[in-house]
């Protein structure tokens, strides 16, 4: 296959090519960073409460059951668009109350259904978590998921 | 075993296999919850099982890579390990950090970002241990012979450490968080870990087939070149739906399609060297692993990755059981099989006996590998059904999950078979050595003269 290719030529192609592709990748990442901060996400809306909501999200390791923007465990529903699913785009207050009530109702204890643990959130933590989910829903993510069902 | 310090690898292999066993235990528990949702719901919720399962995998693979490196480095560099004591200390630190993280998870102590859940101080310990490891092996390399095998291996390990540093960066903006999170997660498994994989495979092939080093090392550069040329921009297939610019859709689609190439090259490479080989190596079980690893990696990482990597396919399949299917076979084929293969090759020499328990080892190979394939098929079927019902028809998530019960039960069965095969493998590695050699003239005897 590569009879005309010497080992040192192959080595040089590897090092040179890899460096080239790495620099290209780093440059595109830098641009993507700029794009995310300035275009696709709501930087102004990234309030202290949203920030705290992300901490609540991490502290309770929601990611190891749920997915968010398609990443995480595949054991429980997608939450990147849960705000939309609860009608938050039309009626924010109802969506907020709905998500709050749903989390407070856990575990449902229905036999044969996956159980979400009870999380004893303070009102502040709960509101921040929902703010975080609302903010995440607003990310311009190329129109994913294809259906509000998540 | 030509060098005394190669035995440094033994405790690494023992710890790696202990954690591998635990990984399977947590995998079985989690698979049981999929089949019977109320199982242990109050004692150990699903997310604790899942974080334990995935983190154990990462930790044992890293410890396995270290063991493999300590084993081959003296032979490649033609000198003893710089400091065996440093190796034992860094293993102790790494194992302690891993164990502490695992215990902590049971009590909800973690950082809550997928795969990077380790608490901050555990991350620090892992970094310290890894730097000690890199210092120890790099010193050995610096003073010794530099071959393409150990240079590419060390490059892979150093870059793994560099990209690990992104685990310490957690921006508030979720989109930016994900952008750099993949600098660890993707650039490891679809980038620099492939350097580690290809060089270890090259080492096994040199040792077992007797093919000229020059030929194997040229191939090695071609393969790792393909891996990085495709894998770096292939990160784009994770940037489709996280708020990144639209240009990642064509870039990610094209370059992640090319990611199949290095895996295909590894299959061609391994089998070509096997057929060209003149040496009839007595460790036929290790040869089986060396051929099986690139083959399953090609299907798991290559074919199953390609199945849902094009952006217009991924739009529908992203984050479904299709991803889980791909993840299981890719990790197993590329990295689990590689380390099990190196252990199979190295253990007889570390124990200073002829290749032993080979029939048992090969049974373990076939049982675990078949079971992992079956698990992948069931999850793929589940994922295709899920994609259609949820993403096309728009049914609710939990309603769709109710339709998938049969697949999850079959997956649990496959998991039980994996556990059985794994026990056989552990016994074949560490149990009493019995002289078992397959009858001569089997297909897995290298060299034309042996057919």
């Amino acid at each position: 296959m590569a009879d005309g290719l010497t080992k040192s030529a192959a080595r040089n192609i590897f090092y040179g090519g890899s460096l080239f592709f790495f620099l290209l990748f780093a440059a595109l990442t830098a641009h993507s960073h700029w794009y995310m901060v300035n275009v696709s996400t709501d930087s102004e809306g990234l309030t202290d409460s949203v920030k705290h909501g992300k901490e609540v999200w991490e502290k309770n390791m929601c990611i190891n059951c749920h997915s968010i923007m398609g990443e995480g465990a595949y054991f429980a529903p997608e939450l990147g668009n849960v705000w939309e699913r609860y009608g938050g785009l039309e009626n924010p207050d109802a969506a907020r109350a709905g998500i709050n009530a749903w989390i407070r109702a856990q575990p449902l204890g229905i036999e044969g259904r996956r159980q979400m643990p009870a999380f004893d959130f303070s009102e502040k933590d709960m509101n921040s978590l929902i703010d975080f989910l609302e903010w995440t829903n607003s990310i311009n993510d190329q129109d994913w998921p294809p259906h509000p069902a998540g | 075993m030509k060098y005394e310090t190669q035995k440094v690898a033994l405790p690494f292999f023992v710890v790696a296999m202990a954690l591998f066993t635990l990984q399977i235990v947590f995998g079985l528990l989690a698979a049981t919850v999929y089949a019977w949702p109320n199982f242990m719901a109050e004692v150990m919720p699903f997310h604790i099982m899942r974080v334990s399962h995935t983190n154990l995998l990462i930790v044992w693979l890293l410890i396995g890579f270290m063991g493999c490196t300590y084993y081959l480095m003296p032979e490649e560099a033609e000198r003893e390990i710089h400091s065996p004591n440093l190796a034992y200390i860094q293993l102790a630190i790494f194992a302690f950090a891993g164990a502490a993280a695992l215990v902590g998870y049971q009590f909800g102590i973690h950082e809550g970002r997928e795969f990077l859940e380790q608490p901050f101080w555990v991350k620090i310990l892992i970094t310290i241990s890894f730097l000690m490891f890199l210092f120890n092996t790099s010193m050995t390399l610096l003073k010794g012979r530099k071959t393409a095998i150990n240079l590419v291996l060390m490059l892979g390990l150093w870059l793994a450490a560099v990209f690990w540093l992104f685990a310490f960066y957690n921006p508030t903006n979720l989109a930016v968080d994900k952008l750099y999170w993949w600098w660890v997660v993707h650039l490891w498994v679809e980038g620099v870990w492939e350097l580690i994989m290809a060089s270890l495979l090259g080492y096994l092939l040199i040792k077992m087939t007797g093919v000229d080093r020059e030929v194997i090392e040229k191939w090695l550069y071609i393969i790792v070149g393909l891996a990085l040329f495709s894998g770096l921009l292939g990160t784009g297939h994770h940037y489709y739906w996280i708020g990144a610019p639209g240009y990642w859709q064509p870039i990610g689609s094209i370059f992640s399609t090319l990611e199949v190439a290095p895996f295909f090259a590894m299959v061609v490479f391994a089998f070509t060297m096997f057929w060209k080989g003149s040496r009839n190596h007595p460790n036929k079980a290790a040869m089986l692993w060396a051929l099986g690893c690139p083959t399953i990696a090609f299907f798991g990482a290559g074919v199953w990755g390609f199945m849902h990597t094009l952006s217009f396919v991924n739009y529908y399949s992203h984050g479904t059981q299709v991803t889980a299917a791909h993840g299981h076979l890719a990790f197993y084929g590329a990295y689990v099989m590689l380390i099990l293969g190196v252990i199979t090759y190295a253990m007889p020499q570390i124990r200073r006996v002829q290749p032993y328990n080979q029939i048992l080892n090969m049974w373990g190979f076939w049982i675990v590998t078949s079971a992992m394939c079956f698990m992948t098929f069931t999850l793929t079927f589940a994922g295709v059904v899920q994609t259609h019902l949820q993403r096309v028809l728009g049914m609710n998530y939990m309603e769709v999950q109710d339709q998938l019960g049969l697949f999850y039960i079959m997956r649990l069965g496959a998991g039980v078979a994996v556990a059985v095969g794994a026990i056989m493998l552990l016994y074949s590695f560490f149990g009493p050595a019995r002289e078992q050699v397959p009858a001569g003239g089997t297909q897995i005897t290298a060299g034309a003269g042996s057919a």
Side-chain angles (χ1 to χ4, degrees), chain A residues 97-111:
Chain A
I99 295 173
N100 188 324
W102 177 257
I103 295 175
R104 295 271 185 232
Q106 305 300 325
L108 296 180
I110 300 170
E111 191 63 31

Side-chain angles (χ1 to χ4, degrees), chain B residues 251-419:
Chain B
I251 292 176
S253 298
I254 291 166
F255 282 90
S256 51
T257 301
L258 297 175
E259 278 188 60
V260 182
F263 288 107
F264 183 69
M266 268 191 260
V267 178
V268 178
F269 169 59
F271 280 87
T272 309
M273 295 306 130
F274 171 62
W275 282 317
K276 279 175 78 166
S278 55
R279 189 176 300 163
N280 194 350
H281 198 275
N283 198 335
K284 314 230 182 293
M287 195 70 234
L288 180 64
W289 286 103
L291 295 175
C293 163
T295 307
I296 300 297
F298 168 69
F299 283 103
V303 177
W304 254 257
F306 175 71
M307 266 176 16
H308 58 136
T309 199
L310 298 172
S311 64
F312 45 88
V313 176
N314 191 257
Y315 185 63
Y316 293 97
S317 64
H318 181 49
T320 64
Q321 293 296 326
V322 174
T323 316
H326 159 60
H328 278 85
L329 200 62
F331 265 106
Y332 174 69
Y335 302 121
V336 174
M337 289 181 82
L338 176 74
I339 293 175
L340 295 177
V342 175
I343 294 178
T344 300
Y345 172 77
M347 279 304 287
Q349 310 195 36
I350 291 174
R351 290 173 66 171
R352 296 194 186 286
V353 293
Q354 288 300 308
Y356 59 93
N357 299 347
Q358 290 202 53
I359 305 285
L360 182 66
N361 184 307
M362 289 160 132
W363 272 103
F365 169 96
W366 286 110
I367 291 172
V368 177
T369 304
S370 317
M372 287 305 295
C373 290
F374 186 78
M375 184 186 298
T376 304
F377 299 146
T378 59
L379 289 178
T380 306
F381 290 129
V384 171
V385 172
Q386 182 189 7
T387 301
H388 186 72
L389 295 181
Q390 188 180 319
R391 296 283 163 74
V392 180
L393 300 184
M395 276 170 66
N396 282 329
Y397 182 91
M398 290 306 290
E399 273 179 75
V400 174
Q401 292 298 314
D402 285 342
Q403 304 291 317
L404 305 178
L406 181 62
F407 297 118
Y408 292 140
I409 289 171
M410 289 197 288
R411 188 265 290 272
L412 176 60
V416 173
V418 168

Side-chain angles (χ1 to χ4, degrees), chain A:
Chain A
M1 172 187 160
D3 284 324
L5 188 69
T6 63
K7 187 177 117 186
S8 62
R11 184 190 60 213
N12 294 341
I13 291 171
F14 163 63
Y15 283 116
S18 299
L19 187 65
F20 169 78
F21 280 106
F22 176 75
L23 292 176
L24 188 57
F25 176 61
L28 288 173
T29 302
H31 175 261
S32 298
H33 184 136
W34 176 89
Y35 178 88
M36 284 171 164
V37 173
N38 293 294
V39 182
S40 67
T41 67
D42 176 17
S43 284
E44 302 230 322
L46 196 56
T47 60
D48 284 345
S49 179
V50 174
K51 183 182 176 187
H52 179 62
K54 185 166 181 278
E55 287 161 7
V56 174
W57 167 266
E58 286 166 3
K59 187 164 186 298
N60 294 281
M61 208 152 61
C62 310
I63 196 82
N64 270 303
C65 287
H66 293 278
S67 57
I68 192 161
M69 291 197 276
E71 284 152 11
Y74 319 113
F75 184 72
E78 163 69 30
L79 295 185
N81 69 334
V82 68
W83 182 251
E84 179 190 350
R85 196 152 61 237
Y86 270 78
L89 301 181
E90 299 85 35
N91 191 342
D93 289 340
R96 184 167 291 272
I99 295 173
N100 188 324
W102 177 257
I103 295 175
R104 295 271 185 232
Q106 305 300 325
L108 296 180
I110 300 170
E111 191 63 31
R113 191 187 196 280
R114 294 176 193 172
Q115 303 298 327
M116 176 164 156
F119 291 104
D120 190 20
F121 295 139
S122 67
E123 266 321 297
K124 175 176 178 260
D125 284 358
M126 180 70 87
N127 270 320
S128 290
L129 181 64
I130 297 172
D131 285 342
F132 168 68
L133 293 172
E134 179 186 2
W135 182 87
T136 301
N137 191 77
S138 75
I139 296 174
N140 177 1
D141 58 2
Q142 316 279 329
D143 203 24
W144 193 89
H147 201 282

Side-chain angles (χ1 to χ4, degrees), chain A residues 58-59, chain B residues 109-113 116-120 123 167 170:
Chain A
E58 286 166 3
K59 187 164 186 298
Chain B
I109 302 167
H110 54 76
E111 283 196 346
R113 292 164 80 214
L116 306 180
E117 289 97 344
Q118 311 81 20
F120 180 74
K123 286 196 175 89
N170 182 9

